[in-house]
Amino acid sequence: MTPTQLRAFATVVQLGSVKAAAESLQVTEAAVSLHVAQLRRELGDPLFVRTASGLAFTPGGLRLASRAVEILGLQDRTVREVGQAGRGRRLLRVGASSLFAEHAAPGLLGLFASRAKDLDLELSVHDSAALPALLATRTVDVGIGPHSTVPPADLVTTAFLKYEVVVVAGPGHPLVGHDPHPSQLRSLTWLLGPSSAGGQGVIPDVLRRLAVPEAQQRIFQSDAQAMEEIRRVDGVGLALGFAVASDVAAGRLVVLGGKSLRYAGRWSALVLPTHSQLPAAAELLRFITTPRATQAMLRGAGSSPGRFRPSVHVTLWS
């Protein structure tokens, strides 16, 4: 088996057709079919058959696709690591949910990078549901997102940093000073950050619990933009308690309701099993629960990714 053959087959499985795979790889359909035929002969497995509804894969074909993704991810990572070693550099790729990336990552990664002068950090933003798959394919080395009570069995999970999500409003909002009923909240237009669009996490859970219709949700590119709009129009939204503490203390925002409108959350870091971890990933996993790391994450609330050290690169992924 060659990497070219594996890449062709993995792309066929991902896209569901030889034609789509050929277009993605920018080769001819005949070339993709040739690579698949070679794999079939070598492995003694048809891998897939064509049906009226599309391609139907054999169990062996799906196992090969899964292993191909792992092999190709490892190959790509090895090429990068060899290049970095030649320059005396290491790279740690962190994938995180948007809420963590905006509010806690700046302080954490800035401090962690300062401890190792040969380390480059790359932060990418993802839906938290995608993190296990990104780890499995070696697209990221560490995944950070909302804590799950049922973590993936094939990953190492470290829970850290509890936080509180609160309902906030502008100081002139008519519900300020009252304990609003859920029916009142459902009728409002909510000004929200990008974490509200994900399927997992405290903020999507709160919106579902309050039964806020999607038609009543306005989602901004960052929590900072949403908070600015709330202050400007006396709107309402959801925020991390520690992230808006200064605005609340200064009277620029008001926390609505009592304990009934406060929601607890916690973040977790996910990595591959010990034998597959990068040393830098293991280092971050140990560091992330220390008091220094906690202080850095809380102090870094609201920092822009543009303020990261030069060795920390930010990539926004859909």
Side-chain angles (χ1 to χ4, degrees), residues 164-303:
E164 186 177 60
V165 170
V166 294
V167 179
V168 296
H173 196 281
L175 291 180
V176 169
H178 303 279
D179 192 356
H181 189 271
S183 62
Q184 292 176 286
L185 296 174
R186 284 194 288 271
S187 66
L188 302 175
T189 297
W190 289 68
L191 309 174
L192 304 162
S195 57
S196 61
Q200 296 182 356
V202 177
I203 289 181
D205 286 347
V206 171
L207 293 171
R208 286 191 289 266
R209 191 178 308 177
L210 295 175
V212 177
E214 289 189 356
Q216 298 296 108
Q217 301 176 29
R218 303 290 181 269
I219 300 174
F220 294 80
Q221 289 183 316
S222 69
D223 277 357
Q225 287 180 319
M227 294 304 108
E228 181 179 347
E229 186 68 4
I230 288 172
R231 291 191 297 266
R232 190 180 69 83
V233 302
D234 284 327
V236 65
L238 293 167
L240 285 175
F242 71 81
V244 296
S246 60
D247 278 332
V248 172
R252 293 186 292 268
L253 290 173
V254 178
V255 176
L256 292 183
K259 292 183 178 180
S260 62
L261 292 182
R262 293 174 180 265
Y263 307 89
R266 194 173 191 180
W267 283 305
S268 285
L270 304 174
V271 295
L272 293 170
T274 304
H275 64 273
S276 300
Q277 291 174 18
L278 289 179
E283 292 170 19
L284 180 59
L285 211 62
R286 289 191 294 268
F287 177 70
I288 205 167
T289 58
T290 64
R292 287 190 67 202
T294 298
Q295 292 169 7
M297 286 184 276
L298 296 178
R299 284 200 308 267
S303 297

Side-chain angles (χ1 to χ4, degrees), residues 61-215:
L62 292 179
R63 291 192 187 97
L64 175 62
S66 175
R67 191 55 55 86
V69 170
E70 293 181 18
I71 292 171
L72 294 169
L74 184 60
Q75 180 191 35
D76 292 341
R77 192 179 83 179
T78 301
V79 170
R80 285 193 297 270
E81 289 176 353
V82 169
Q84 291 156 9
R87 301 190 303 274
R89 307 292 301 171
R90 296 181 295 157
L91 174 64
L92 181 66
R93 296 163 300 169
V94 179
S97 64
S98 60
L99 194 66
F100 179 85
E102 181 172 352
H103 295 289
L108 173 70
L109 299 186
L111 180 60
F112 185 69
S114 71
R115 302 165 72 249
K117 301 301 182 184
D118 66 334
L119 181 65
D120 290 335
L121 289 174
E122 179 183 274
L123 175 66
S124 52
V125 180
H126 307 268
D127 188 306
S128 56
L131 293 176
L134 294 170
L135 285 162
T137 59
R138 272 64 170 187
T139 303
V140 301
D141 305 305
V142 180
I144 300 178
H147 179 65
S148 172
T149 55
V150 186
D154 54 345
L155 298 175
V156 176
T157 303
T158 298
F160 68 97
L161 196 61
K162 294 180 180 179
Y163 58 87
E164 186 177 60
V165 170
V166 294
V167 179
V168 296
H173 196 281
L175 291 180
V176 169
H178 303 279
D179 192 356
H181 189 271
S183 62
Q184 292 176 286
L185 296 174
R186 284 194 288 271
S187 66
L188 302 175
T189 297
W190 289 68
L191 309 174
L192 304 162
S195 57
S196 61
Q200 296 182 356
V202 177
I203 289 181
D205 286 347
V206 171
L207 293 171
R208 286 191 289 266
R209 191 178 308 177
L210 295 175
V212 177
E214 289 189 356

